[in-house]
Amino acid sequence: MPKKTAGENMRVLTGIQASGKLHIGNYFGAMKPMVELQEENELFTFIANYHSLTSSTDAKTLKDYTLDAAIDYLSIGIDPNKTTFWVQSHVPQVLELYWILSKFTPMGLLERAHSYKDKVAKGIPASHALFSYPVLMAADILLFDIDKVPVGKDQVQHLEITRDIAIKFNNEYGEIFKLPTAVVNEDVATIPGIDGQKMSKSYGNAIDLFMDEKPLQKRCNKIVTSSTPLGEPLEWEDCNVFALASLFLDENGKEELKARYKSGKEGYGHFKKYLKELIWQELQEAREKREYYLNHLDEVQDILDMGAKKASAIADNKMQQVREAVGLI
């Protein structure tokens, strides 16, 4: 397997499920870092609509969410001239690799995956697709000789499973797959939703990216806080409103917000309004770009087609190696 030389860009991959409106957790956990990563790396970004089938209930909704996700990515700043950007199902080689990798995936490895247990506990129906999610994720990564994968803490185990599968395959057939490394941004590893749990579409506790202003304020107003009355100092350490607002602030801004909490002059209602203003200001340019793409859907489709062709060319080369290694003709 060829190694990167000094100064050579790393291949970085990240994907997001098309299973609902994108939210603040997606933005800080994946989307904003992606825009930064594409400047100095070879970035691969895909909309994981195969993965989304584990929670999707009807075709139209999945199609709409997939297109919405593409528009949102482009609006946030993903540049198709710098990033290979595609829809997962437009590069079906990943399913062929998924099946082949299944042979090299011990059942015990998947049975230890905490994400599966957590999702079932949250009411997502247990299925083979949900159970084998880590194998498809491994195929997503190994298909493109990826160096680094930005993930949240809850996905680190899946990266370890990817490496385990790749090592088992390589031990039998030689150095076919590159072993990827997980990259965890500790500052945004867990972004709380309005109920204090990790923000997730599955949990129904998210703040969507592109809400209108009044619904956005109503959503912020639903964030769970303590019952400290107005006029008393507030604790910021375990406050969900503070945790979300701090994502938008530099160190000076965070210190100023802490001082406002301690002053006792403002209540949670003030800080929920402040959070809404931070979100609204942060996404102003993105909302304008999003309006453009909504009115130019043919351009969005052309961008996705271009990305799929580029990704497919790379995938074909890798699958030729894999088929030859395992004996498929």
Side-chain angles (χ1 to χ4, degrees):
M1 182 63 60
K3 297 182 178 180
K4 298 290 184 183
T5 59
E8 188 175 354
N9 288 352
M10 290 288 182
R11 277 192 177 181
V12 180
L13 178 138
T14 188
I16 196 164
Q17 287 196 40
S19 53
K21 297 289 185 182
L22 298 181
H23 54 69
I24 297 300
N26 300 138
Y27 177 70
F28 282 103
M31 300 173 79
K32 189 174 183 180
M34 268 188 257
V35 174
E36 297 165 357
L37 283 167
Q38 72 181 351
E39 298 303 323
E40 297 182 358
N41 299 274
E42 188 179 357
L43 182 62
F44 290 72
T45 297
F46 67 97
I47 301 168
N49 59 339
Y50 280 142
H51 285 294
S52 300
L53 287 171
T54 60
S55 57
S56 175
T57 56
D58 70 274
K60 183 180 184 305
T61 299
L62 180 56
K63 289 178 181 178
D64 289 346
Y65 282 158
T66 301
L67 184 59
D68 283 347
I71 292 170
D72 289 349
Y73 267 67
L74 294 170
S75 300
I76 291 299
I78 288 296
D79 184 346
N81 295 312
K82 298 177 180 178
T83 296
T84 303
F85 179 47
W86 75 101
V87 175
Q88 187 182 29
S89 62
H90 294 176
V91 183
Q93 295 93 325
V94 71
L95 291 185
E96 181 184 1
L97 182 57
Y98 160 72
W99 177 250
I100 294 171
L101 294 180
S102 295
K103 176 187 173 182
F104 301 90
T105 308
M107 288 293 291
L109 193 63
L110 297 181
E111 288 169 348
R112 292 192 294 273
H114 54 71
S115 178
Y116 171 77
K117 298 172 186 176
D118 291 344
K119 288 180 178 179
V120 171
K122 290 293 182 182
I124 298 176
S127 66
H128 174 266
L130 190 64
F131 183 69
S132 63
Y133 175 106
V135 187
L136 181 55
M137 180 173 168
D140 290 324
I141 298 164
L142 299 176
L143 194 58
F144 298 103
D145 285 336
I146 298 300
D147 296 295
K148 296 184 180 295
V149 184
V151 292
K153 282 185 176 180
D154 61 323
Q155 290 284 316
V156 170
Q157 186 187 37
H158 285 170
L159 248 295
E160 294 170 350
I161 291 173
T162 295
R163 290 173 60 89
D164 288 343
I165 294 170
I167 289 169
K168 190 173 178 65
F169 187 98
N170 288 350
N171 284 343
E172 186 160 342
Y173 295 113
E175 296 299 309
I176 302 294
F177 294 123
K178 180 176 288 187
L179 301 185
T181 302
V183 179
V184 180
N185 186 336
E186 296 292 344
D187 294 333
V188 295
T190 302
I191 296 171
I194 62 172
D195 58 357
Q197 298 185 84
K198 176 193 171 185
M199 188 176 292
S200 170
K201 295 182 286 287
S202 301
Y203 302 162
N205 65 356
I207 299 175
D208 294 344
L209 277 184
F210 294 109
M211 303 180 76
D212 290 335
E213 193 165 9
K214 286 185 178 180
L216 175 60
Q217 184 63 70
K218 289 181 179 180
R219 194 64 172 163
C220 290
N221 290 344
K222 291 183 178 180
I223 298 173
V224 175
T225 57
S226 72
S227 57
T228 304
L230 183 64
E232 293 186 17
L234 303 178
E235 297 294 331
W236 58 267
E237 287 89 345
D238 296 317
C239 177
N240 297 322
V241 180
F242 180 89
L244 289 167
S246 65
L247 296 168
F248 298 87
L249 302 172
D250 59 18
E251 289 305 314
N252 289 335
K254 292 175 188 177
E255 292 303 316
E256 290 174 1
L257 186 55
K258 290 177 186 178
R260 289 172 61 184
Y261 266 71
K262 294 175 182 177
S263 73
K265 296 179 181 179
E266 298 175 272
Y268 288 114
H270 296 94
F271 296 121
K272 290 176 180 180
K273 183 177 180 181
Y274 176 59
L275 172 61
K276 185 274 295 182
E277 292 170 352
L278 289 173
I279 297 171
W280 194 254
Q281 292 169 7
E282 173 81 11
L283 296 169
Q284 180 177 349
E285 182 179 346
R287 284 195 302 275
E288 294 171 358
K289 292 177 69 175
R290 189 171 187 271
E291 186 67 25
Y292 170 83
Y293 285 118
L294 285 171
N295 291 308
H296 295 81
L297 295 179
D298 288 347
E299 185 173 335
V300 175
Q301 191 59 58
D302 288 343
I303 288 170
L304 294 174
D305 289 345
M306 178 179 70
K309 288 178 182 177
K310 184 177 177 181
S312 288
I314 298 169
D316 281 339
N317 289 334
K318 178 57 64 178
M319 288 312 302
Q320 286 179 12
Q321 291 180 272
V322 172
R323 292 182 197 116
E324 184 175 350
V326 300
L328 295 176
I329 60 173

